[in-house]
Amino acid sequence: MDVPGARRYQPPMRVVSIGECMIELSGRSGASWQQGFAGDTLNTLWYLRALLPDEAVTDYVTAFGDDPFSAEQIAFLADNRIGIAESPTVAGKAPGLYAIALDAAGERSFTYWRSEAAARHLADDAAALGQSLAGADLVYVSGITLAILDADARQRLTDALEVARDAGAMIAFDPNYRPRLWPDEQQAQTAIEAGYRTSTIVLPTFDDEAMLFGDASPEATAGRIAAHGPETIIVKCGAAAALVHHDGTPETVAPEAGIVPVDTTGAGDSFNGGWLAAHLAGRGPADATRFAHRVAGRVIGHHGALLPMGDLDDLRRANTGAG
């Protein structure tokens, strides 16, 4: 039975995530690193893919280079049942790169090389972008996606999201504010507020919102964002309880006790993927938040942004009702 406030799509549902897939260097041992692929919107789609029914269609919309690493990215996505829709290939470009350093408590810091990344051209072709979003039930985007685009491309993306929303898609947005990606706070505020207005669901992190907008509390964050029109706002607060704000009614939902983080990389992204997967399965906002905490708790108990999908089979069965 559906829960009031939930939104269920009949299979086969189609989920699209838009952003930048980068080369990830992690797990440093001496001079050696482990190479993988990750990025905030890809991480969230990864967990959606792991937690949705097998018949669900998942597409990652970005731009690829014509280099060997881009070819590896496309093959990696395909191997994990993630398509690329009409994502363009940009001659002479390559993926961005980042490296993760961890401290003794499992907290991470990042170093990036991404200024010339192919993904910055993901919205250059408005027609291809529109085709990639056509027929989607859910479109997911983040503030990092907005930040890597120039102003014209950002507007093309906003226009495409509005068309998808008007056609019936749910638009989910994590503002994911990263100061180093923006020329100044005013431009970030303007773009992120436009993201709120385009979205039906917003999944902010309180610390990010407080940094950019000066919010004094998660309640202040939810109230400020709600004024822009989203139906549902889930304010993530790290290891503390998340604030669920739906139809003007706030509720706090705490994570399970006793979780000891090994690596917090991808914690918020996996929470978002868990929440959206639960919402698509028909759970209400608070129940979806409890499920999202379970997913994130599982992920931070392992190293790396992408937990193997098979390690979430029990949660997928719990979410989908599969045997």
Side-chain angles (χ1 to χ4, degrees):
M1 179 180 295
D2 288 348
V3 178
R7 186 173 185 179
R8 179 188 288 274
Y9 292 97
Q10 297 302 314
M13 70 182 73
R14 179 166 179 258
V15 173
V16 174
S17 186
I18 310 171
E20 180 180 19
C21 175
M22 292 182 287
I23 300 168
E24 177 191 78
L25 299 180
S26 63
R28 182 177 181 179
S29 177
S32 299
W33 291 81
Q34 179 178 341
Q35 180 196 312
F37 296 113
D40 68 327
T41 54
L42 174 62
N43 300 347
T44 293
L45 186 63
W46 178 271
Y47 292 108
L48 275 158
R49 175 68 279 170
L51 296 164
L52 288 174
D54 288 341
E55 65 268 19
V57 176
T58 49
D59 282 320
Y60 193 64
V61 175
T62 186
F64 297 98
D66 56 357
D67 63 297
F69 288 106
S70 291
E72 287 182 21
Q73 282 183 335
I74 294 169
F76 169 77
L77 294 171
D79 287 345
N80 289 284
R81 298 177 296 142
I82 297 172
I84 61 171
E86 301 300 322
S87 299
T89 297
V90 184
K93 295 295 183 181
L97 169 71
Y98 74 101
I100 303 172
L102 293 175
D103 65 19
E107 289 298 327
R108 75 272 195 225
S109 61
F110 301 89
T111 303
Y112 292 92
W113 299 265
R114 72 198 306 184
S115 61
E116 296 298 320
R120 291 179 177 269
H121 300 275
L122 68 85
D124 285 2
D125 186 335
L129 182 60
Q131 291 171 16
S132 289
L133 273 54
D137 295 304
L138 166 68
V139 180
Y140 178 77
V141 67
S142 79
I144 291 177
T145 311
L146 302 182
I148 66 172
L149 303 177
D150 64 30
D152 290 341
R154 198 177 300 139
Q155 186 59 55
R156 285 191 291 272
L157 175 57
T158 298
D159 292 344
L161 292 171
E162 289 176 349
V163 169
R165 183 195 61 203
D166 292 346
M170 177 171 59
I171 309 298
F173 174 55
D174 182 348
N176 213 356
Y177 174 56
R178 296 294 178 265
R180 73 182 72 188
L181 294 179
W182 294 98
D184 54 60
E185 287 187 352
Q186 183 175 358
Q187 289 191 45
Q189 289 171 346
T190 298
I192 287 172
E193 287 175 342
Y196 300 152
R197 291 191 293 273
T198 306
S199 303
T200 48
I201 291 172
V202 180
L203 298 153
T205 297
F206 172 65
D207 287 346
D208 293 350
E209 301 295 304
M211 185 191 318
L212 182 58
F213 292 99
D215 298 334
S217 66
E219 291 78 8
T221 293
R224 177 179 52 77
I225 295 174
H228 293 279
E231 297 172 4
T232 304
I233 301 148
I234 312 297
V235 185
K236 303 185 292 289
C237 300
L243 178 68
V244 178
H245 188 282
H246 178 72
D247 286 343
T249 303
E251 179 179 356
T252 57
V253 178
E256 295 175 342
I259 296 173
V260 179
V262 172
D263 179 356
T264 58
T265 305
D269 302 331
S270 61
F271 179 99
N272 293 350
W275 196 95
L276 292 168
H279 191 62
L280 287 167
R283 298 181 185 225
D287 193 27
T289 303
R290 282 185 280 272
F291 183 77
H293 278 312
R294 290 181 65 192
V295 174
R298 182 78 58 87
V299 170
I300 65 174
H302 298 75
H303 287 290
L306 302 181
L307 186 65
M309 291 187 188
D311 289 2
L312 296 169
D313 277 350
D314 61 323
L315 294 180
R316 177 184 60 82
R317 290 192 296 268
N319 188 50
T320 63

